[in-house]
Amino acid sequence: MPPPPADAPSTSTTSTSPSSAPPPTTTNTITLPSGPSPSHEPPPLPSIPPPTISIAPLLSKLVSIHHSSRSTSTQPALPQIPPSLALEISSALTLLFTAQVSATQAASLLTLLSTTHLDRHPRVIAACAGRMRDAARGVDLRALRGILSGGGVSDGGGGNTSVVVASGETSEDGDAGKRSSSSGTNELGGLGKRMGSYEGGLCDLVGTGGDGHSTFNISTTASIVASALLKIAKHGNRASSSMSGSADLLQHAQVSSSSTSSTSIAPASDDPPTAVRSKMEKETETKTETEPKTKKISPQISAITPTTLADLYRHTNYAFLFAPVFHPGMRHAAPIRKELGFRTIFNLLGPLANPVDGAIEARVVGVARRSLGRVFAEALALGGSGGTGSDSEGDDEVEETRMGKGRRKGGRRRGKGKALVVCGEEELDEVSCAGRTFCWRVRGSSSSTSEVHHKAENLSMNGERTAEQGHAEADVDAEETFDIEEFTLHPEDFGLPTHHLSEVSPGKTPTENASLLMKLLGNELPDEDPVLHFVLINAATLFVVSGLCDADESSMGEGDSGEVIREVGPGGGRWKEGVRRARWAIKSGRALEMFRGYAEFTNRVVDGV
């Protein structure tokens, strides 16, 4: 029998009064409620999974490319593909993040991208990285940029605040101070200001992994060292092929954290009369003592989210962006990747999928194969340093010109164009301490980049366009040129000796590596320690790429001699000056303080403070 409407009167086979009705009997008396009842509400609808979309047409195209490449050449070569195919591949890959493609077709896609070598094609990598960023949890980049340009690193208390600026200078009254540079003095306020050609933006130091050398966590450690002078947004994950990934290292690192508590000692009621107590006893009993309490804490890496990220930079220059937090859709791809058992395109996309890519000013990307060096450099030039996601379909046009130069019209490219791709001669995804490192430096320039941002933001703020439409419209007339310069580096260019990789390949557990990290940050390693040299080389590389070392003057803080090393090495970089600044970052304790600030902030978030 269907329930009556909500406004239907109450009906029954017998008439009863609530106050005088006899007790219920076993007669066929049915009483219906006079109004809606929870028992008559429809049950909640079960969650409906998103519809599955077939990518069979794309798979057929990839099969044809696979057969064609096998019949025309025995040597693996990158096929020539139109930009539309790269976008089609990236769109299909996006379906994995929302579980809208079957596991069979997803596995087929990843396999075909590998067998056709399209997972090593610059257009495909750039497009897929852009889609991956688009699918990440959104970060309010406008708010983030506001913090970066105007916020200050505070002591977290209510007293005098020591503002830490990008150069490492401090000022007790909150004034960021003045500092000359080779490009002039330009205050950005609070955290950052221009130094050399560094403009105070975020920086990243990351590698693809998979080099098989099991070295110490160099890029993660070097990024912490670099945070003494640069604002770092380190994107990383747990170990995939090594014993200790960046997330594993940070979770096991323990840094001392001091908190202050006050205890008051008051006289007891049965004390002797005041007259018979000595002055010393009375002062001891009535004074308030402040005793610092020190404890060891580890960073809570999942505490940094799109919501907490901007505020973090008020307290420290260092942030670790844990990939699973920012890329939750990757959980759908994880079982498929595990079942396949070989490295897929996802192993290459990580370094280009930083969720705050739009605020990244400079980055160093390490690749584990020399053949990937030029590929990644071109992918960064195409958009991996600023994004060619779904908002720029059909607008991305790149012309390759002579001498490694290119021209890019349209499409959205939010990065600053400062990028260096590196590969150690030993097939190492770091700047090598053992010998030569092959380098591909991307130098971008555009007369309209800032105008594009300004126009796009105005369109969206005025309600005339959405943020995505604003960027698409503002990009129509944008044109950027880029150069890819190739050169090699050697430890000698940094003023350091060579060390065999066996000296820096502990291959140890995260706990052991974390202990070594804290010794290095605590300036407890000998000046000639091989691991220290390895870290100095890589931190110095990021300093050079950011433009920090272009400054002709230096006043980082106590312990800085101010003597800039102006010697220019390969690629036009002041590599020895980079090492000088990296050594100061450790010896001054500034790098350790940035890491401590990161750890304390994440613990406060978890504790709800």
Side-chain angles (χ1 to χ4, degrees):
M1 175 179 177
D7 57 352
S10 175
T11 61
S12 68
T13 57
T14 60
S15 176
T16 59
S17 170
S19 60
S20 60
T25 64
T26 57
T27 60
N28 296 329
T29 300
I30 303 175
T31 302
L32 298 179
S34 60
S37 168
S39 61
H40 289 274
E41 291 180 358
L45 293 175
S47 59
I48 302 176
T52 301
I53 299 174
S54 174
I55 59 172
L58 172 62
L59 296 178
S60 296
K61 293 179 185 179
L62 297 180
V63 169
S64 298
I65 293 175
H66 172 71
H67 290 320
S68 176
S69 62
R70 290 186 62 187
S71 61
T72 57
S73 174
T74 57
Q75 296 297 324
L78 291 178
Q80 296 295 322
I81 63 170
S84 59
L85 180 59
L87 290 174
E88 189 176 355
I89 291 171
S90 65
S91 297
L93 207 68
T94 305
L95 298 177
L96 272 74
F97 307 143
T98 54
Q100 287 183 270
V101 63
S102 70
T104 301
Q105 288 195 341
S108 299
L109 174 63
L110 297 177
T111 302
L112 284 168
L113 289 177
S114 177
T115 58
T116 59
H117 304 290
L118 287 176
D119 59 355
R120 291 164 176 77
H121 197 292
R123 286 190 184 277
V124 173
I125 290 177
C128 290
R131 291 286 193 175
M132 190 169 175
R133 292 191 300 269
D134 291 342
R137 294 177 64 189
V139 176
D140 187 344
L141 292 182
R142 186 179 304 172
L144 179 59
R145 292 190 187 102
I147 296 295
L148 296 177
S149 62
V153 174
S154 71
D155 60 2
N160 289 336
T161 297
S162 177
V163 177
V164 182
V165 296
S167 65
E169 299 169 349
T170 60
S171 175
E172 290 300 320
D173 62 3
D175 180 15
K178 302 291 183 181
R179 186 180 184 285
S180 298
S181 72
S182 59
S183 61
T185 302
N186 296 279
E187 288 294 331
L188 295 182
L191 261 177
K193 62 182 180 181
R194 291 194 175 110
M195 181 190 307
S197 58
Y198 173 56
E199 299 181 9
L202 297 178
C203 302
D204 192 10
L205 182 61
V206 64
T208 60
D211 59 20
H213 290 293
S214 297
T215 56
F216 176 68
N217 300 92
I218 297 299
S219 63
T220 306
T221 305
S223 70
I224 297 173
V225 172
S227 71
L229 299 172
L230 303 174
K231 292 183 279 286
I232 301 296
K234 168 68 174 173
H235 184 223
N237 207 338
R238 294 191 175 91
S240 174
S241 57
S242 63
M243 292 183 65
S244 177
S246 54
D248 305 307
L249 176 76
L250 296 179
Q251 284 186 304
H252 287 81
Q254 292 191 325
V255 61
S256 297
S257 175
S258 298
S259 61
T260 301
S261 62
S262 298
T263 56
S264 179
I265 305 176
S269 59
D270 57 351
D271 279 348
T274 303
V276 300
R277 283 184 287 144
S278 68
K279 181 179 180 181
M280 181 179 297
E281 288 175 331
K282 184 163 57 176
E283 290 177 349
T284 302
E285 291 172 349
T286 57
K287 74 177 181 178
T288 297
E289 297 180 353
T290 300
E291 301 177 351
K293 294 183 178 180
T294 302
K295 62 179 180 179
K296 295 284 188 178
I297 61 173
S298 297
Q300 305 298 311
I301 62 175
S302 296
I304 302 305
T305 68
T307 303
T308 61
L309 178 61
D311 191 42
L312 171 67
Y313 287 110
R314 297 184 189 275
H315 305 272
T316 178
N317 283 352
Y318 188 78
F320 179 75
L321 280 55
F322 188 34
V325 171
F326 289 86
H327 297 280
M330 283 298 296
R331 70 184 186 277
H332 300 300
I336 299 172
R337 296 172 62 190
K338 185 176 181 180
E339 287 293 323
L340 287 176
F342 58 83
R343 293 177 67 83
T344 69
I345 190 172
F346 285 115
N347 295 96
L348 303 180
L349 295 181
L352 304 182
N354 194 313
V356 293
D357 185 85
I360 296 289
E361 178 177 346
R363 76 184 79 208
V364 174
V365 179
V367 294
R369 300 291 179 267
R370 184 179 178 183
S371 60
L372 291 173
R374 177 78 187 189
V375 170
F376 264 69
E378 291 185 8
L380 286 165
L382 286 167
S385 185
T388 54
S390 59
D391 52 353
S392 61
E393 290 185 22
D395 294 329
D396 189 7
E397 179 183 342
V398 179
E399 298 179 25
E400 186 71 20
T401 62
R402 66 184 183 280
M403 297 178 63
K405 297 183 178 182
R407 182 182 299 109
R408 181 178 185 277
K409 293 190 64 176
R412 187 165 117 198
R413 188 164 189 264
R414 298 159 292 183
K416 295 289 185 181
K418 298 177 182 177
L420 181 70
V421 181
V422 299
C423 181
E425 191 170 19
E426 310 81 12
E427 302 280 74
L428 180 73
D429 67 338
E430 320 273 6
V431 180
S432 178
C433 65
R436 292 190 303 169
T437 297
F438 303 104
C439 304
W440 298 262
R441 190 167 188 176
V442 181
R443 299 177 185 269
S445 62
S446 172
S447 60
S448 57
T449 301
S450 60
E451 289 86 345
V452 167
H453 282 297
H454 182 69
K455 180 178 179 182
E457 290 184 356
N458 283 342
L459 287 171
S460 59
M461 287 178 65
N462 295 334
E464 300 174 22
R465 305 286 189 277
T466 65
E468 303 302 335
Q469 290 171 336
H471 273 290
E473 180 172 328
D475 275 342
V476 170
D477 297 323
E479 179 173 310
E480 288 189 71
T481 60
F482 61 86
D483 296 338
I484 298 177
E485 179 186 4
E486 299 186 30
F487 57 91
T488 59
L489 286 172
H490 191 276
E492 293 177 353
D493 298 316
F494 297 86
L496 296 173
T498 59
H499 299 282
H500 194 274
L501 290 185
S502 61
E503 300 179 66
V504 293
S505 303
K508 295 183 179 180
T509 65
T511 300
E512 293 172 303
N513 282 357
S515 175
L516 182 56
L517 165 68
M518 299 315 301
K519 288 181 180 179
L520 186 146
L521 294 179
N523 194 31
E524 298 176 19
L525 297 182
D527 285 348
E528 303 306 314
D529 185 87
V531 172
L532 174 62
H533 285 178
F534 202 180
V535 171
L536 291 175
I537 285 174
N538 282 270
T541 300
L542 185 57
F543 284 158
V544 170
V545 174
S546 71
L548 189 74
C549 297
D550 295 341
D552 287 329
E553 297 181 13
S554 174
S555 55
M556 294 182 288
E558 184 178 354
D560 177 17
S561 66
E563 298 178 0
V564 174
I565 302 175
R566 294 179 171 82
E567 179 183 338
V568 175
R574 293 177 172 178
W575 310 103
K576 292 178 181 178
E577 169 64 7
V579 169
R580 186 187 75 85
R581 290 180 179 270
R583 280 195 185 278
W584 177 89
I586 296 173
K587 290 183 176 295
S588 67
R590 184 63 54 81
L592 178 60
E593 286 307 306
M594 291 297 105
F595 185 66
R596 191 193 321 277
Y598 161 69
E600 290 178 341
F601 180 86
T602 59
N603 276 267
R604 287 197 300 271
V605 170
V606 170
D607 294 339
V609 179

PDB file of all heavy atoms in Angstrom, residues 2 57 67 112 144 147 169 178 204 257 306 331 441 522 558 566 579 589 604:
ATOM      1  N   PRO A   2       0.741   2.131  -0.947  1.00  0.00           N
ATOM      2  CA  PRO A   2       1.616   3.303  -1.013  1.00  0.00           C
ATOM      3  C   PRO A   2       1.290   4.278   0.087  1.00  0.00           C
ATOM      4  O   PRO A   2       0.148   4.412   0.509  1.00  0.00           O
ATOM      5  CB  PRO A   2       1.309   3.884  -2.398  1.00  0.00           C
ATOM      6  CG  PRO A   2      -0.083   3.443  -2.687  1.00  0.00           C
ATOM      7  CD  PRO A   2      -0.223   2.096  -2.055  1.00  0.00           C
ATOM      8  N   PRO A  57      38.910   4.416 -30.024  1.00  0.00           N
ATOM      9  CA  PRO A  57      39.435   5.083 -31.222  1.00  0.00           C
ATOM     10  C   PRO A  57      40.881   5.550 -31.058  1.00  0.00           C
ATOM     11  O   PRO A  57      41.691   5.412 -31.980  1.00  0.00           O
ATOM     12  CB  PRO A  57      38.477   6.267 -31.411  1.00  0.00           C
ATOM     13  CG  PRO A  57      37.205   5.826 -30.766  1.00  0.00           C
ATOM     14  CD  PRO A  57      37.638   5.025 -29.584  1.00  0.00           C
ATOM     15  N   HIS A  67      52.654  -0.174 -35.188  1.00  0.00           N
ATOM     16  CA  HIS A  67      52.988  -1.020 -36.335  1.00  0.00           C
ATOM     17  C   HIS A  67      53.832  -0.255 -37.349  1.00  0.00           C
ATOM     18  O   HIS A  67      54.775  -0.811 -37.937  1.00  0.00           O
ATOM     19  CB  HIS A  67      51.714  -1.528 -37.004  1.00  0.00           C
ATOM     20  CG  HIS A  67      50.965  -2.535 -36.170  1.00  0.00           C
ATOM     21  ND1 HIS A  67      51.586  -3.509 -35.441  1.00  0.00           N
ATOM     22  CD2 HIS A  67      49.622  -2.716 -35.970  1.00  0.00           C
ATOM     23  CE1 HIS A  67      50.691  -4.260 -34.821  1.00  0.00           C
ATOM     24  NE2 HIS A  67      49.481  -3.786 -35.121  1.00  0.00           N
ATOM     25  N   LEU A 112      50.825   1.154 -24.756  1.00  0.00           N
ATOM     26  CA  LEU A 112      51.053   1.663 -26.111  1.00  0.00           C
ATOM     27  C   LEU A 112      51.881   2.948 -26.100  1.00  0.00           C
ATOM     28  O   LEU A 112      52.699   3.172 -27.007  1.00  0.00           O
ATOM     29  CB  LEU A 112      49.720   1.902 -26.817  1.00  0.00           C
ATOM     30  CG  LEU A 112      49.013   0.635 -27.313  1.00  0.00           C
ATOM     31  CD1 LEU A 112      47.575   0.930 -27.725  1.00  0.00           C
ATOM     32  CD2 LEU A 112      49.792   0.019 -28.484  1.00  0.00           C
ATOM     33  N   LEU A 144      48.237  33.018  -3.003  1.00  0.00           N
ATOM     34  CA  LEU A 144      49.605  32.577  -2.757  1.00  0.00           C
ATOM     35  C   LEU A 144      50.599  33.634  -3.205  1.00  0.00           C
ATOM     36  O   LEU A 144      51.552  33.956  -2.489  1.00  0.00           O
ATOM     37  CB  LEU A 144      49.859  31.257  -3.488  1.00  0.00           C
ATOM     38  CG  LEU A 144      51.261  30.656  -3.345  1.00  0.00           C
ATOM     39  CD1 LEU A 144      51.589  30.393  -1.884  1.00  0.00           C
ATOM     40  CD2 LEU A 144      51.380  29.374  -4.160  1.00  0.00           C
ATOM     41  N   ILE A 147      50.832  36.418  -0.720  1.00  0.00           N
ATOM     42  CA  ILE A 147      51.668  36.097   0.437  1.00  0.00           C
ATOM     43  C   ILE A 147      53.139  36.187   0.060  1.00  0.00           C
ATOM     44  O   ILE A 147      53.964  36.741   0.797  1.00  0.00           O
ATOM     45  CB  ILE A 147      51.353  34.683   0.972  1.00  0.00           C
ATOM     46  CG1 ILE A 147      49.912  34.621   1.496  1.00  0.00           C
ATOM     47  CG2 ILE A 147      52.338  34.278   2.065  1.00  0.00           C
ATOM     48  CD1 ILE A 147      49.652  35.483   2.697  1.00  0.00           C
ATOM     49  N   GLU A 169      68.601  38.448   4.887  1.00  0.00           N
ATOM     50  CA  GLU A 169      68.772  39.530   5.821  1.00  0.00           C
ATOM     51  C   GLU A 169      67.625  39.538   6.808  1.00  0.00           C
ATOM     52  O   GLU A 169      66.526  39.107   6.521  1.00  0.00           O
ATOM     53  CB  GLU A 169      68.825  40.867   5.078  1.00  0.00           C
ATOM     54  CG  GLU A 169      69.992  40.947   4.106  1.00  0.00           C
ATOM     55  CD  GLU A 169      69.875  42.156   3.200  1.00  0.00           C
ATOM     56  OE1 GLU A 169      68.817  42.795   3.186  1.00  0.00           O
ATOM     57  OE2 GLU A 169      70.853  42.460   2.517  1.00  0.00           O
ATOM     58  N   LYS A 178      67.474  47.184   2.579  1.00  0.00           N
ATOM     59  CA  LYS A 178      67.790  47.496   1.190  1.00  0.00           C
ATOM     60  C   LYS A 178      69.013  46.710   0.782  1.00  0.00           C
ATOM     61  O   LYS A 178      69.906  46.463   1.577  1.00  0.00           O
ATOM     62  CB  LYS A 178      68.074  49.003   1.032  1.00  0.00           C
ATOM     63  CG  LYS A 178      66.913  49.886   1.481  1.00  0.00           C
ATOM     64  CD  LYS A 178      65.732  49.764   0.551  1.00  0.00           C
ATOM     65  CE  LYS A 178      64.617  50.698   0.952  1.00  0.00           C
ATOM     66  NZ  LYS A 178      63.452  50.587   0.071  1.00  0.00           N
ATOM     67  N   ASP A 204      61.750  24.961  -7.376  1.00  0.00           N
ATOM     68  CA  ASP A 204      61.644  23.516  -7.140  1.00  0.00           C
ATOM     69  C   ASP A 204      62.911  22.834  -7.629  1.00  0.00           C
ATOM     70  O   ASP A 204      63.548  23.285  -8.588  1.00  0.00           O
ATOM     71  CB  ASP A 204      60.420  22.953  -7.871  1.00  0.00           C
ATOM     72  CG  ASP A 204      60.087  21.514  -7.435  1.00  0.00           C
ATOM     73  OD1 ASP A 204      60.678  21.035  -6.457  1.00  0.00           O
ATOM     74  OD2 ASP A 204      59.235  20.881  -8.085  1.00  0.00           O
ATOM     75  N   SER A 257      62.393  21.277  18.679  1.00  0.00           N
ATOM     76  CA  SER A 257      61.418  22.357  18.715  1.00  0.00           C
ATOM     77  C   SER A 257      61.290  22.833  20.142  1.00  0.00           C
ATOM     78  O   SER A 257      61.092  22.033  21.066  1.00  0.00           O
ATOM     79  CB  SER A 257      60.060  21.877  18.198  1.00  0.00           C
ATOM     80  OG  SER A 257      59.079  22.886  18.332  1.00  0.00           O
ATOM     81  N   PRO A 306      46.063  22.592  -0.119  1.00  0.00           N
ATOM     82  CA  PRO A 306      45.749  23.860  -0.797  1.00  0.00           C
ATOM     83  C   PRO A 306      45.256  24.932   0.164  1.00  0.00           C
ATOM     84  O   PRO A 306      45.420  26.119  -0.104  1.00  0.00           O
ATOM     85  CB  PRO A 306      44.657  23.448  -1.782  1.00  0.00           C
ATOM     86  CG  PRO A 306      44.951  22.026  -2.099  1.00  0.00           C
ATOM     87  CD  PRO A 306      45.429  21.438  -0.808  1.00  0.00           C
ATOM     88  N   ARG A 331      45.243   7.901  -7.191  1.00  0.00           N
ATOM     89  CA  ARG A 331      44.979   6.623  -6.521  1.00  0.00           C
ATOM     90  C   ARG A 331      44.280   5.646  -7.452  1.00  0.00           C
ATOM     91  O   ARG A 331      44.385   4.425  -7.284  1.00  0.00           O
ATOM     92  CB  ARG A 331      44.133   6.852  -5.268  1.00  0.00           C
ATOM     93  CG  ARG A 331      42.687   7.271  -5.533  1.00  0.00           C
ATOM     94  CD  ARG A 331      41.953   7.564  -4.235  1.00  0.00           C
ATOM     95  NE  ARG A 331      40.540   7.829  -4.431  1.00  0.00           N
ATOM     96  CZ  ARG A 331      40.041   9.011  -4.773  1.00  0.00           C
ATOM     97  NH1 ARG A 331      40.860  10.052  -4.966  1.00  0.00           N
ATOM     98  NH2 ARG A 331      38.743   9.175  -4.932  1.00  0.00           N
ATOM     99  N   ARG A 441      69.570  24.113 -20.636  1.00  0.00           N
ATOM    100  CA  ARG A 441      69.003  25.271 -19.944  1.00  0.00           C
ATOM    101  C   ARG A 441      67.954  25.943 -20.823  1.00  0.00           C
ATOM    102  O   ARG A 441      68.209  26.277 -21.978  1.00  0.00           O
ATOM    103  CB  ARG A 441      70.082  26.279 -19.570  1.00  0.00           C
ATOM    104  CG  ARG A 441      69.571  27.382 -18.640  1.00  0.00           C
ATOM    105  CD  ARG A 441      70.708  28.178 -18.042  1.00  0.00           C
ATOM    106  NE  ARG A 441      70.233  29.105 -17.017  1.00  0.00           N
ATOM    107  CZ  ARG A 441      71.028  29.869 -16.279  1.00  0.00           C
ATOM    108  NH1 ARG A 441      72.348  29.801 -16.448  1.00  0.00           N
ATOM    109  NH2 ARG A 441      70.530  30.696 -15.372  1.00  0.00           N
ATOM    110  N   GLY A 522      72.718  20.594  10.673  1.00  0.00           N
ATOM    111  CA  GLY A 522      73.297  21.066  11.926  1.00  0.00           C
ATOM    112  C   GLY A 522      74.759  21.424  11.811  1.00  0.00           C
ATOM    113  O   GLY A 522      75.409  21.702  12.823  1.00  0.00           O
ATOM    114  N   GLU A 558      74.857  37.347   9.268  1.00  0.00           N
ATOM    115  CA  GLU A 558      76.064  37.087  10.046  1.00  0.00           C
ATOM    116  C   GLU A 558      76.850  35.931   9.440  1.00  0.00           C
ATOM    117  O   GLU A 558      76.291  34.896   9.100  1.00  0.00           O
ATOM    118  CB  GLU A 558      75.689  36.754  11.487  1.00  0.00           C
ATOM    119  CG  GLU A 558      76.890  36.567  12.399  1.00  0.00           C
ATOM    120  CD  GLU A 558      76.505  36.296  13.839  1.00  0.00           C
ATOM    121  OE1 GLU A 558      75.289  36.371  14.148  1.00  0.00           O
ATOM    122  OE2 GLU A 558      77.397  36.007  14.656  1.00  0.00           O
ATOM    123  N   ARG A 566      82.700  36.352  -8.674  1.00  0.00           N
ATOM    124  CA  ARG A 566      82.133  36.747  -9.961  1.00  0.00           C
ATOM    125  C   ARG A 566      82.574  35.862 -11.119  1.00  0.00           C
ATOM    126  O   ARG A 566      82.175  36.092 -12.267  1.00  0.00           O
ATOM    127  CB  ARG A 566      82.484  38.200 -10.261  1.00  0.00           C
ATOM    128  CG  ARG A 566      81.832  39.183  -9.300  1.00  0.00           C
ATOM    129  CD  ARG A 566      82.227  40.623  -9.605  1.00  0.00           C
ATOM    130  NE  ARG A 566      81.456  41.574  -8.831  1.00  0.00           N
ATOM    131  CZ  ARG A 566      81.722  41.922  -7.576  1.00  0.00           C
ATOM    132  NH1 ARG A 566      82.764  41.360  -6.959  1.00  0.00           N
ATOM    133  NH2 ARG A 566      80.973  42.803  -6.941  1.00  0.00           N
ATOM    134  N   VAL A 579      78.003  27.862  -4.580  1.00  0.00           N
ATOM    135  CA  VAL A 579      78.530  27.048  -3.478  1.00  0.00           C
ATOM    136  C   VAL A 579      78.799  27.909  -2.255  1.00  0.00           C
ATOM    137  O   VAL A 579      78.523  27.513  -1.114  1.00  0.00           O
ATOM    138  CB  VAL A 579      79.803  26.305  -3.916  1.00  0.00           C
ATOM    139  CG1 VAL A 579      80.506  25.664  -2.714  1.00  0.00           C
ATOM    140  CG2 VAL A 579      79.470  25.234  -4.943  1.00  0.00           C
ATOM    141  N   GLY A 589      73.106  28.370   9.996  1.00  0.00           N
ATOM    142  CA  GLY A 589      71.954  27.769  10.646  1.00  0.00           C
ATOM    143  C   GLY A 589      70.634  28.169  10.023  1.00  0.00           C
ATOM    144  O   GLY A 589      69.561  27.748  10.479  1.00  0.00           O
ATOM    145  N   ARG A 604      51.574  22.230  14.189  1.00  0.00           N
ATOM    146  CA  ARG A 604      50.508  23.098  14.707  1.00  0.00           C
ATOM    147  C   ARG A 604      49.209  22.865  13.952  1.00  0.00           C
ATOM    148  O   ARG A 604      48.122  22.878  14.537  1.00  0.00           O
ATOM    149  CB  ARG A 604      50.919  24.567  14.615  1.00  0.00           C
ATOM    150  CG  ARG A 604      51.960  25.000  15.620  1.00  0.00           C
ATOM    151  CD  ARG A 604      52.018  26.506  15.759  1.00  0.00           C
ATOM    152  NE  ARG A 604      52.350  27.178  14.524  1.00  0.00           N
ATOM    153  CZ  ARG A 604      53.581  27.451  14.132  1.00  0.00           C
ATOM    154  NH1 ARG A 604      54.611  27.088  14.892  1.00  0.00           N
ATOM    155  NH2 ARG A 604      53.814  28.079  12.997  1.00  0.00           N
TER     156      ARG A 604
END
